[in-house]
Amino acid sequence: MINCQLFMNPIQYYIDQYQKARPWDLPAFAFEVKDKAMEKLSGTSIPLAKKDEEYLYTPIASFLEQQLPSYRPSAGDFTLSLITDLLNSDIPTIDSYSIVITNGYYLSNEPIHKLPEGVIVGSFVSMIKQFDDIYHHFFTNYELSDDILVNLNAMLCGDGFFLYVPAGVKPSKPIQIINVFDRKPQTLIQPRNLIMMEPGSSAEVLVCDYTLSDGSYLCNDVTEVVLNKSAMLDLVRLQKVNDATRIMTHTFVKQQASSKMRTHYISLGGNSVRNSLTVTLAEKKAEHIVEGLTLTKQTGHTDHQILIRHASPDCHSNQLFKQILAGTSTGAFTGRIVVDKDAQKTLAYQRSSNILLHPKAKMNIRPQLEIYADDVKCSHGATVGQLDADALFYLRSRGISEAEAKKMLLQAFAGEVIDHICEPFRKSVTQLVEQEMEEIFKE
């Protein structure tokens, strides 16, 4: 018997999923966004890798053609054993406000946590229902992306996390979102997250993607960040997943005047990991610094796609990405800076440095500058190479073993990124990076 599903357009498959699941308990404005996403997806097809600039190095055909159902929680998914596993795992132990997201859902008896001074963290969907005035304002004139995966998430997302920090407030502790993949390998996990920073607010946030088993997981994650005037945010995305997991993350940031944000991507493991960041510096004196450190081994692949748009004068951005590639792993970095015509006195810098530990490892780099203003300072640079032979010889001549000498050089290489991570998270990130380096040298 012929399986007709094999011949179905994968995009239509997901649209059918949405139409069957549509009676969700959500406000009308949320369905307006979902329906618009469905309309945008209708009639589209999966782009061919060689013709798709956005996914040139991480083709999404294999991601979508599996036609997996979207994950929906059921009784027993969140168990006490999961909590025990978390406590015994190497997820960073930090004195923080923390919540656990399981397969994209915040499964808790208290879906909304009201922290001191009006800070709120909890379930994305519960927040829509309980504080629909905040969400309605956010979704007014909401513009959908042209990205198929982002629209797929908008149409089918079920939950995720929400963080709200009121004007002038800084939480007394950092906030940790533990995003766990567990026991559901044959589903597509699609979290939707929103961070809203009111004027003059400040926060330190760690989002940790973690696998609790050796299953194969697929995740399509979208996070939106709004920084109002003079708001400050340190956001660290730590990805420590098994070698069978594939993660696609998309983060959209809009910054108003004098706001400052520092984003860190720390990617350790994974079959295929792609992090996309789109930043709009919409008003004067906004600043965004994004840095990344990646360790890939065996046949792993990691891709970072960064776009920073300077839409207003007197703004500053800086990109620094470093990758260590072992085995036959591959990496990609596309760093794009766009300076609009009126964005005079822009400062924008970009650098990508990469070390290949194996002759078959491969790194692809695409630095891109689009400058339409004339009073700017912009630069980019990229290097790909092996460990410094002279430095290695120097350390060996001091009686240090070859393995230890290599680790010392790699730690120094990684340190430039790690040292810039905010203090509450730095120690734990350092420990996990050192553990991953140990694994690399066991290969």
Side-chain angles (χ1 to χ4, degrees), residues 259-308:
S259 63
K260 295 183 179 181
M261 182 170 174
R262 187 185 291 270
T263 304
H264 275 91
Y265 290 101
I266 308 296
S267 302
L268 311 173
N271 172 280
S272 181
V273 176
R274 182 183 185 274
N275 296 310
S276 172
L277 173 67
T278 301
V279 177
T280 301
L281 303 176
E283 296 181 0
K284 289 183 177 181
K285 296 188 180 300
E287 177 180 315
H288 196 109
I289 297 173
V290 54
E291 299 186 355
L293 175 65
T294 301
L295 280 72
T296 51
K297 57 186 180 180
Q298 297 176 356
T299 58
H301 173 76
T302 304
D303 182 357
H304 286 96
Q305 186 95 7
I306 311 299
L307 166 60
I308 298 183

Side-chain angles (χ1 to χ4, degrees), residues 185-389:
Q186 298 303 315
T187 55
L188 177 57
I189 300 167
Q190 300 203 85
R192 188 80 177 198
N193 315 304
L194 178 59
I195 298 174
M196 297 192 71
M197 308 290 296
E198 295 291 9
S201 63
S202 178
E204 297 162 328
V205 180
L206 171 64
V207 180
C208 179
D209 299 319
Y210 191 81
T211 49
L212 289 183
S213 68
D214 58 1
S216 173
Y217 302 96
L218 283 83
C219 178
N220 178 34
D221 178 292
V222 174
T223 301
E224 296 186 83
V225 181
V226 178
L227 270 72
N228 285 289
K229 185 177 180 180
S230 300
M232 299 178 66
L233 176 64
D234 275 289
L235 177 64
V236 179
R237 183 112 197 191
L238 173 61
Q239 297 166 317
K240 192 174 190 323
V241 296
N242 67 37
D243 294 336
T245 294
R246 286 181 287 171
I247 300 178
M248 306 281 183
T249 76
H250 321 263
T251 303
F252 299 90
V253 179
K254 187 171 183 179
Q255 295 184 226
Q256 293 186 2
S258 301
S259 63
K260 295 183 179 181
M261 182 170 174
R262 187 185 291 270
T263 304
H264 275 91
Y265 290 101
I266 308 296
S267 302
L268 311 173
N271 172 280
S272 181
V273 176
R274 182 183 185 274
N275 296 310
S276 172
L277 173 67
T278 301
V279 177
T280 301
L281 303 176
E283 296 181 0
K284 289 183 177 181
K285 296 188 180 300
E287 177 180 315
H288 196 109
I289 297 173
V290 54
E291 299 186 355
L293 175 65
T294 301
L295 280 72
T296 51
K297 57 186 180 180
Q298 297 176 356
T299 58
H301 173 76
T302 304
D303 182 357
H304 286 96
Q305 186 95 7
I306 311 299
L307 166 60
I308 298 183
R309 178 178 294 278
H310 288 255
S312 182
D314 201 17
C315 293
H316 174 213
S317 70
N318 200 339
Q319 304 174 40
L320 172 62
F321 278 79
K322 292 193 168 189
Q323 184 151 346
I324 299 169
L325 300 97
T328 58
S329 63
T330 57
F333 171 73
T334 300
R336 186 178 172 200
I337 299 169
V338 178
V339 182
D340 289 353
K341 182 179 179 180
D342 296 329
Q344 304 295 342
K345 299 190 181 301
T346 285
L347 300 178
Y349 307 105
Q350 178 195 120
R351 179 158 60 94
S352 172
S353 299
N354 309 275
I355 292 179
L356 308 181
L357 298 179
H358 192 281
K360 291 188 177 180
K362 184 178 179 181
M363 185 70 196
N364 298 284
I365 306 172
R366 291 190 299 172
Q368 299 175 346
L369 291 176
E370 293 182 35
I371 302 173
Y372 302 100
D374 51 21
D375 184 8
V376 303
K377 291 182 180 179
C378 299
S379 68
H380 64 74
T383 59
V384 180
Q386 299 175 334
L387 285 171
D388 189 316

Side-chain angles (χ1 to χ4, degrees), residues 355 357 387-413 437 441:
I355 292 179
L357 298 179
L387 285 171
D388 189 316
D390 292 338
L392 191 60
F393 176 80
Y394 175 83
L395 293 173
R396 294 294 311 280
S397 68
R398 296 302 186 269
I400 299 172
S401 70
E402 182 176 2
E404 285 301 315
K406 287 181 177 180
K407 278 189 276 188
M408 289 175 66
L409 292 177
L410 291 179
Q411 287 169 355
F413 176 79
M437 286 185 182
F441 284 103

